[in-house]
Amino acid sequence: MGVFPRKTGEKNAMRVVPREHKISRPGTVVKKLFRDFLFEKNNPGQARKRGEQDMEFMTGVKKKEDISVKTLLETPEGTEVKLEGAVHIIRDMGEVAFVILRKSEGLVQCVYEEGSVDFPLKDLKEESAVAVTGTVKKEDRAPGGVEVRLQTITVLSEPTEPMPLAVNKWKMNTSLEAMLNMRPIALRNVRERAKFRIQEGVVRAFRDFLHSQGFTEIHTPKIGAKGAEGGANIFKLEYFHRPAVLAQSPQFYKQMLVGVFDRVFEVGPVFRAEKHNTKRHLNEYTSLDFEMGYIEDYTDIMAMETGFLQYMVELLKKDYAKELEILKVMLPKTEEIPTVPFTKAKELVAEKYNRKIRNPFDLEPEEELLIGQYFKEEYDADFVFVTEYPSKKRPFYAMDDPEDKRYTKSFDLLFHGLEITTGGQRIHDYKMLSEKIAARGMTEEGMEQYLSAFKHGMPPHGGLGIGLERLTMKLIGEDNVRETTLFPRDLTRLEP
């Protein structure tokens, strides 16, 4: 039923009329008739279900008129195009102004000429989201050698406050703290954004390469009953009146799933309650993890990581050349990576740099730097694998060297003197694993599910974890891991 107004003077203002007399908007009727026509054409002889006449159906991604920067660069001169983006900066030269648009792939130079555009330049604000149309013109001085001569500007939204940071400058010339405090704004800067495009390339390379090597991607819980690494650096929380922890790593799950898929990998967050306030530490970071079964020894793991790094370098060259150029990145050498035993590495730097060995069981940050320096000077190597770490500094699941149980079949990878990877062969024999847990004075409580996988047979296996933010930091030549973390979590920072 529909509702019509009564004539003036009648007792009630409205009267009810049958639905069939209700007046519809002409456009609605035409759309309905067109949908009915299409259905009949594609489904001859079939009746539409009740209510389907007014139903819309999604058939896939909508085609947009807005074109990408890549497409713009390939578009013939004189073609009319539509672009959407943010107004990065306006350079008013008088009768002509340059309106630089910021899109996800880069900057586009648009030319505003008085009398040719339907929108007053004085009403256009930087950081407004706009849709523009114009014609393509070749211009060697413009980004990519192409500019757009504007015809129309439509403002989609505009800022209500001035920008707190000069994101349209090449360098913002402000402190790291200021950039982190206003992270969603700072990341609009072209150089800041390029860092995380490169980081995307690192993760892409990790996934693509491991898929090509027969690995299965997994997704494991980040809340658990027990930490995989042990120790005190665990974030504890209450889980429905039960104690729980945030995952230090996906280690237990990776190992258990080797028994299912043979080769697994994961990209995900890990949490470390370490009270370090240094340029190299975070309390939450992204870990690139893999675990592989049926290995001969831990060198299979190092070889696989070397293959990943080689693949990563080639992918960055191919798909991220623009970002590499923006940040002036010199990609590292990955053709061959030297390996050196832990004790030998300490001796080499002690001898060459006249440095006393203070801690025989671990590498100090200064030693890591000197090891990196040594292998750069002696072998022109950007990476070096330090192998056979002392057992007392490795987790209980690390495979001890049968010839000298003081050391393990494990390694760290140093990149320009900074540890970015820890890995090695794991214990796959249940009896050996149980004995090592007992020898360390640990309890098996909370590890029953993990240990059950070994009770029922596991292949020889090993794996590693790579710190994504550290790897990115060294790739692009930064010296603070917060520079390559979108939203860092450290001793003092919980927001943004």
Side-chain angles (χ1 to χ4, degrees):
M1 303 295 280
V3 179
F4 274 7
R6 281 183 175 272
K7 294 178 181 178
T8 306
E10 292 187 290
K11 288 184 179 179
N12 298 315
M14 309 296 285
R15 65 186 175 89
V16 178
V17 299
R19 179 176 291 278
E20 58 267 23
H21 295 160
K22 185 180 178 183
I23 297 173
S24 299
R25 289 179 297 169
T28 304
V29 174
V30 171
K31 288 180 182 177
K32 179 178 181 298
L33 290 172
F34 185 63
R35 285 199 298 267
D36 291 347
F37 165 75
L38 287 178
F39 181 85
E40 180 62 31
K41 181 180 178 183
N42 295 322
N43 305 274
Q46 293 184 33
R48 298 191 78 170
K49 295 177 182 177
R50 179 182 175 85
E52 276 192 358
Q53 292 89 340
D54 299 318
M55 196 179 294
E56 290 191 20
F57 295 83
M58 294 296 105
T59 58
V61 177
K62 292 181 179 179
K63 184 172 176 58
K64 294 193 69 174
E65 293 180 37
D66 166 55
I67 65 170
S68 66
V69 174
K70 182 176 183 293
T71 302
L72 175 65
L73 299 181
E74 298 168 351
T75 300
E77 190 169 15
T79 305
E80 187 171 316
V81 295
K82 178 182 178 181
L83 294 167
E84 293 173 344
V87 178
H88 188 63
I89 192 169
I90 301 170
R91 298 191 180 101
D92 190 352
M93 317 296 286
E95 292 184 0
V96 174
F98 295 102
V99 178
I100 310 300
L101 289 190
R102 186 178 66 243
K103 291 177 69 67
S104 63
E105 319 108 293
L107 302 179
V108 177
Q109 178 170 295
C110 300
V111 181
Y112 181 105
E113 295 177 284
E114 287 289 346
S116 299
V117 188
D118 67 348
F119 191 92
L121 185 65
K122 64 181 178 59
D123 293 340
L124 190 62
K125 298 179 182 178
E126 290 178 354
E127 292 305 316
S128 293
V130 298
V132 305
T133 62
T135 54
V136 177
K137 188 174 188 308
K138 303 297 182 186
E139 173 53 70
D140 293 340
R141 292 167 293 182
V146 170
E147 65 184 16
V148 175
R149 297 296 179 111
L150 291 173
Q151 294 171 348
T152 69
I153 299 175
T154 302
V155 175
L156 306 176
S157 70
E158 59 183 17
T160 57
E161 293 184 4
M163 289 294 285
L165 298 171
V167 297
N168 53 20
K169 303 296 184 187
W170 188 245
K171 288 188 177 181
M172 286 185 283
N173 293 322
T174 189
S175 68
L176 176 58
E177 279 301 300
M179 287 196 290
L180 294 180
N181 288 337
M182 292 175 277
R183 201 59 164 158
I185 306 303
L187 289 170
R188 298 181 186 185
N189 176 264
V190 171
R191 295 184 78 258
E192 289 299 306
R193 194 169 64 172
K195 297 175 185 178
F196 296 97
R197 284 277 295 153
I198 289 173
Q199 190 171 85
E200 175 209 58
V202 173
V203 177
R204 265 187 64 194
F206 188 71
R207 280 197 167 101
D208 291 353
F209 175 72
L210 292 181
H211 277 307
S212 76
Q213 298 298 312
F215 283 74
T216 297
E217 184 167 9
I218 58 173
H219 306 281
T220 62
K222 302 309 166 200
I223 301 175
K226 197 175 185 72
E229 307 299 323
N233 60 341
I234 301 175
F235 285 109
K236 298 178 180 180
L237 65 152
E238 185 181 286
Y239 188 76
F240 301 110
H241 310 295
R242 295 163 56 196
V245 298
L246 291 179
Q248 295 168 296
S249 87
Q251 187 59 44
F252 286 178
Y253 294 100
K254 285 194 304 175
Q255 288 185 261
M256 289 188 286
L257 289 172
V258 163
V260 179
F261 299 110
D262 292 351
R263 293 181 165 194
V264 297
F265 77 92
E266 179 170 18
V267 178
V270 297
F271 304 88
R272 303 288 172 96
E274 297 171 338
K275 295 183 179 180
H276 295 304
N277 191 18
T278 73
K279 293 182 176 182
R280 50 190 269 159
H281 286 96
L282 293 167
N283 295 107
E284 176 186 350
Y285 66 90
T286 302
S287 186
L288 309 178
D289 278 271
F290 74 69
E291 205 79 12
M292 52 192 283
Y294 300 97
I295 63 171
E296 292 186 17
D297 60 25
Y298 70 100
T299 60
D300 289 353
I301 311 299
M302 294 191 292
M304 189 64 70
E305 182 171 22
T306 302
F308 152 62
L309 293 170
Q310 292 167 345
Y311 184 93
M312 176 195 74
V313 166
E314 293 307 312
L315 180 73
L316 292 176
K317 283 181 188 176
K318 179 171 69 77
D319 290 351
Y320 297 85
K322 183 193 300 182
E323 287 77 17
L324 296 175
E325 174 59 28
I326 287 171
L327 298 175
K328 304 300 180 190
V329 173
M330 290 286 292
L331 289 170
K333 297 178 176 66
T334 56
E335 293 81 5
E336 54 182 15
I337 298 176
T339 69
V340 59
F342 175 87
T343 51
K344 181 66 175 177
K346 278 182 165 288
E347 291 167 3
L348 288 173
V349 298
E351 182 180 337
K352 181 167 184 177
Y353 303 109
N354 194 28
R355 186 185 189 280
K356 185 179 179 181
I357 297 175
R358 300 187 188 92
N359 183 351
F361 301 109
D362 205 359
L363 293 181
E364 297 173 2
E366 185 186 350
E367 280 181 303
E368 289 183 357
L369 278 170
L370 291 175
I371 292 169
Q373 182 178 328
Y374 178 91
F375 280 88
K376 187 64 178 175
E377 291 171 354
E378 298 294 326
Y379 300 95
D380 194 26
D382 295 307
F383 295 95
V384 55
F385 284 109
V386 180
T387 65
E388 300 169 28
Y389 270 72
S391 182
K392 68 183 298 180
K393 279 296 181 180
R394 284 310 205 217
F396 70 89
Y397 51 77
M399 176 73 79
D400 290 334
D401 186 339
E403 296 180 6
D404 188 343
K405 291 189 177 294
R406 293 176 302 167
Y407 299 96
T408 57
K409 294 186 172 185
S410 69
F411 63 88
D412 278 0
L413 179 65
L414 307 185
F415 181 11
H416 291 166
L418 177 69
E419 172 220 318
I420 61 163
T421 302
T422 294
Q425 187 170 353
R426 323 301 190 188
I427 298 173
H428 59 273
D429 179 79
Y430 171 72
K431 185 173 180 292
M432 188 186 299
L433 191 60
S434 186
E435 287 174 353
K436 193 167 180 184
I437 291 171
R440 292 201 171 190
M442 297 170 61
T443 174
E444 295 184 6
E445 183 182 353
M447 293 194 287
E448 293 86 357
Q449 294 293 326
Y450 168 70
L451 293 172
S452 72
F454 297 87
K455 286 180 182 178
H456 298 95
M458 284 286 285
H461 64 279
L464 55 73
I466 304 170
L468 173 62
E469 293 83 358
R470 282 191 179 188
L471 174 53
T472 311
M473 176 181 76
K474 283 300 181 181
L475 268 176
I476 67 174
E478 291 287 358
D479 71 345
N480 192 318
V481 72
R482 291 158 188 78
E483 295 272 10
T484 51
T485 308
L486 278 172
F487 298 99
R489 292 293 175 262
D490 55 27
L491 270 178
T492 61
R493 189 170 292 279
L494 265 178
E495 55 182 11

